[in-house]
Amino acid sequence: MKLRSKTAVPLLLALSALLLVLLTLRTGRTEPPAPPVRPASAPQRPPPSAPKLIRNPGTFTRSGQSAQRHRPLRPRLRASSLGAASLEKLARRPGEPRSFHAVLPPKLWIHLAVVACGSRLEETLVMLKSAVLFSHRKMQFHIFTEESLKSEFDKQLRQWPDSYTKKFEHRIYPITFSVGNSQEWKKLFKPCAAQRLFLPVILKDVDSLLYVDTDVLFLRPVDDIWKFLRQFNSTQLAAMAPEHEIPKIGWYSRFAQHPFYGSTGINSGVMLMNLTRIRTAQFKNNVIPTGLAWEDMLYPLYQKYKNVITWGDQDLLNIIFYFNPECLYVFPCQWNYRPDHCMYGSNCKGAELEGVSVLHGNRGVYHDDKQPTFKALYEAIRDFPFQDNLFQSIYYPLQLKFLETVHTLCGRIPQVFLKQIEKTMKRAYEKHVIIHVGSNQMY
C-alpha cells in the first residue's frame, strides 16, 4: 500500500502540471471580455473616424492600401451657361494637360484678320507667330492675300509644330472689293490695304474680329485685347488707338484737309470690331441727309475725299468716326505702340506704367536701322525656335541687344518694351510647369 502511494504522488503531480498547461492555452484563445454596458444617462462617445485618404499619388493609408480619389457628385451644367474658362475645365479630365482641341466651341474663338500683299509674307508670319506664342484661347486666322502668296502661307503655317498649330485654324481669302472700282481700291495708300474696309461685308458669319497690320507684334496674349469687346457700350462697334498723344505735334491736327476723329485722329493698324453691329448700323455722313449702311457709305465717301486723303483707308475711317463718334471705343496707346511714341521722347503714359502690349512697327522700322529697338524685337520673335525656352531665347538676348540701342530715344526706355513681355513669359512658364509638368498631380 505504501509502495502504491509513493508511485501515485509523482503521477498526480504530472497530471496537475498537464492540466495547468491546458488551462493556460485555453485561456489565451478566449475572446476578450465585452466592455461594460454604459448607463443610458451616460454620454456616448462618437465612433472612431476612419483614417483620412491622402490625395497625393504614391502615398498610402494606415491600412497600407493605395489611396483612392473620390470626387463629389456635381450637378451637370449646360455648356451655354458657362464661360470659356469653365468650358475648358469641364472638357479636361483630372490629370489631363490643357488641350486646345474641342475645348471651346467655334463661337468663342478669337478671330484675327490680316491683309498681306507684295513682300509682306515674312512680316505677316512673324505677326501670327507672336500671336500663337503667348495666347491661350483658340484662334481663327483670316488671311487676305494675292493668289501668288496663298500656297506659301498655307505651307509655312502647316510646318509649325503641332503644339502650336493646334492653337489655331486658318483660312485664306482672295483680295475682293464689293463696291466701286477694284483697281482703284487696290492702289489706295498701300497694296490691298483698303481690303480691311470690306471685312464686315465679306466675313458675314463672324460676329467680332481683330484686324491688325502685317507689321504688328503681340507682346502679350491676344486674349487680353479681345476683352475690350466687353467694355463696349450699347453704341460702340469698333475700337482703335489715337494716332498721336500730343495734338500739337500730331499729323492730323497739323496737316489733314478732311474731317478726323477727336483732336489727334485714330490709327487703324490695330482695329477691334463688332462686325454684327457694323453690318446693322446706319451711319451719319455728309453725303446724304439720312444714314447709310457701312457698305453703301464707303465708295461715296471715297469719291468725295479722294483728292485730299493721304493715308488711304485710315483717312476714310477717321472721316466715318468724325461723323459717328459715339460708335468708337478708344483704347490706350500701349495697345498700338509706334515709333512716334518714343522717337521724339516718351509720350505714351500707359506704356510707361504697364509696358507695351501691342507693338506696331510702321515706317518700315523692322527692316532698317533707324529704330533698332523695334528691329531687335522683330528679329527676336522671327528667329525664335518654337520649342526653345522663352526666357533663354527671347528675353535674355533682348536685354543684351537693347544695350546697343541706348543711342536712340526709344532705346533709352528698355523697360517700356520689356515689362509686358516679361510678365507674359512668366505666365507662360507657370502654365507650362503647373499644367504639363505637374498635370499628373493636379485636377
Side-chain angles (χ1 to χ4, degrees):
M1 190 70 184
K2 290 181 179 178
L3 183 62
R4 289 181 180 178
S5 61
K6 288 182 179 179
T7 307
V9 170
L11 183 61
L12 288 172
L13 291 173
L15 289 171
S16 299
L18 180 62
L19 287 171
L20 183 62
V21 171
L22 290 173
L23 287 172
T24 303
L25 292 174
R26 181 175 180 84
T27 304
R29 292 177 183 177
T30 56
E31 298 296 327
V37 179
R38 289 177 178 270
S41 60
Q44 299 292 323
R45 289 183 181 180
S49 60
K52 294 183 179 179
L53 294 178
I54 302 174
R55 301 187 70 84
N56 291 334
T59 58
F60 297 88
T61 61
R62 293 180 188 174
S63 62
Q65 300 297 321
S66 179
Q68 300 295 321
R69 294 181 178 180
H70 296 281
R71 302 185 71 182
L73 294 176
R74 297 178 181 175
R76 295 179 63 88
L77 300 176
R78 292 182 300 171
S80 59
S81 65
L82 298 172
S86 301
L87 282 170
E88 185 175 353
K89 289 179 182 177
L90 203 61
R92 196 167 71 249
R93 294 178 180 177
E96 185 180 39
R98 186 188 303 263
S99 171
F100 286 88
H101 287 299
V103 169
L104 294 177
K107 67 178 181 180
L108 294 179
W109 292 2
I110 293 173
H111 290 263
L112 178 64
V114 64
V115 180
C117 291
S119 59
R120 300 284 182 165
L121 174 67
E122 179 193 277
E123 209 172 66
T124 306
L125 289 170
V126 176
M127 180 276 292
L128 296 174
K129 184 178 182 180
S130 73
V132 300
L133 277 179
F134 308 122
S135 296
H136 310 311
R137 288 172 66 176
K138 188 160 184 176
M139 292 177 286
Q140 174 76 58
F141 294 155
H142 302 273
I143 303 169
F144 292 80
T145 189
E146 299 167 309
E147 191 67 33
S148 59
L149 295 178
K150 285 183 179 180
S151 60
E152 193 62 25
F153 266 117
D154 192 61
K155 174 185 173 183
Q156 294 285 344
L157 291 172
R158 293 184 187 279
Q159 288 178 352
W160 289 1
D162 290 344
S163 57
Y164 288 94
T165 56
K166 69 183 181 182
K167 295 172 70 172
F168 70 91
E169 293 184 7
H170 69 278
R171 291 184 62 184
I172 301 177
Y173 306 79
I175 302 296
T176 55
F177 304 98
S178 57
V179 294
N181 186 315
S182 295
Q183 291 304 314
E184 200 171 12
W185 282 120
K186 195 169 184 178
K187 295 176 182 178
L188 183 64
F189 184 47
K190 291 182 180 179
C192 311
Q195 180 70 75
R196 83 185 87 180
L197 297 173
F198 295 88
L199 296 178
V201 181
I202 298 170
L203 302 176
K204 294 184 182 297
D205 58 340
V206 176
D207 176 71
S208 297
L209 182 75
L210 175 63
Y211 166 86
V212 295
D213 285 348
T214 61
D215 51 9
V216 160
L217 293 174
F218 295 97
L219 304 186
R220 65 188 292 178
V222 182
D223 315 50
D224 295 337
I225 192 171
W226 192 256
K227 292 175 183 176
F228 278 110
L229 287 167
R230 303 176 190 170
Q231 300 185 26
F232 285 13
N233 64 25
S234 59
T235 63
Q236 291 166 340
L237 44 75
M240 284 176 270
E243 171 64 22
H244 213 285
E245 298 301 300
I246 305 174
K248 65 181 181 181
I249 60 175
W251 191 92
Y252 282 106
S253 55
R254 290 186 295 162
F255 306 116
Q257 301 179 43
H258 57 77
F260 58 88
Y261 178 88
S263 59
T264 61
I266 47 175
N267 184 281
S268 61
V270 180
M271 183 164 54
L272 186 63
M273 295 175 280
N274 184 319
L275 300 185
T276 300
R277 290 187 180 184
I278 291 176
R279 284 188 288 263
T280 57
Q282 292 290 310
F283 293 88
K284 300 187 291 290
N285 60 88
N286 62 349
V287 178
I288 62 172
T290 59
L292 284 171
W294 182 268
E295 186 178 16
D296 298 333
M297 173 180 54
L298 294 176
Y299 197 62
L301 275 183
Y302 169 68
Q303 287 296 317
K304 181 168 184 174
Y305 290 104
K306 66 179 180 180
N307 294 325
V308 295
I309 58 178
T310 304
W311 307 112
D313 53 306
Q314 178 174 293
D315 290 347
L316 288 177
L317 289 167
N318 266 280
I319 295 168
I320 291 171
F321 289 107
Y322 168 83
F323 291 108
N324 302 271
E326 73 283 357
C327 295
L328 187 67
Y329 179 95
V330 179
F331 48 59
C333 52
Q334 65 265 32
W335 295 94
N336 186 350
Y337 191 90
R338 285 158 278 123
D340 285 344
H341 290 118
C342 59
M343 62 189 295
Y344 306 117
S346 180
N347 58 59
C348 177
K349 298 301 180 183
E352 293 173 8
L353 293 173
E354 299 181 11
V356 176
S357 296
V358 178
L359 192 75
H360 185 181
N362 63 349
R363 302 175 183 264
V365 294
Y366 295 152
H367 312 293
D368 60 32
D369 297 320
K370 294 179 180 179
Q371 297 299 332
T373 311
F374 283 76
K375 185 178 182 180
L377 275 162
Y378 174 81
E379 291 179 347
I381 294 176
R382 181 195 65 189
D383 300 336
F384 171 70
F386 274 105
Q387 304 299 347
D388 274 15
N389 181 280
L390 288 168
F391 275 101
Q392 292 178 355
S393 297
I394 292 185
Y395 185 73
Y396 296 136
L398 272 176
Q399 288 182 313
L400 294 176
K401 282 190 175 183
F402 281 179
L403 294 175
E404 304 171 2
T405 69
V406 294
H407 62 284
T408 66
L409 289 176
C410 293
R412 293 176 188 174
I413 49 172
Q415 71 280 2
V416 166
F417 297 90
L418 290 173
K419 186 179 295 186
Q420 196 55 238
I421 199 170
E422 180 183 10
K423 289 181 181 178
T424 300
M425 288 181 180
K426 282 183 178 178
R427 284 189 302 219
Y429 176 76
E430 289 167 359
K431 284 183 179 292
H432 173 77
V433 171
I434 294 172
I435 294 170
H436 295 285
V437 177
S439 61
N440 62 340
Q441 299 182 13
M442 296 186 63
Y443 281 99

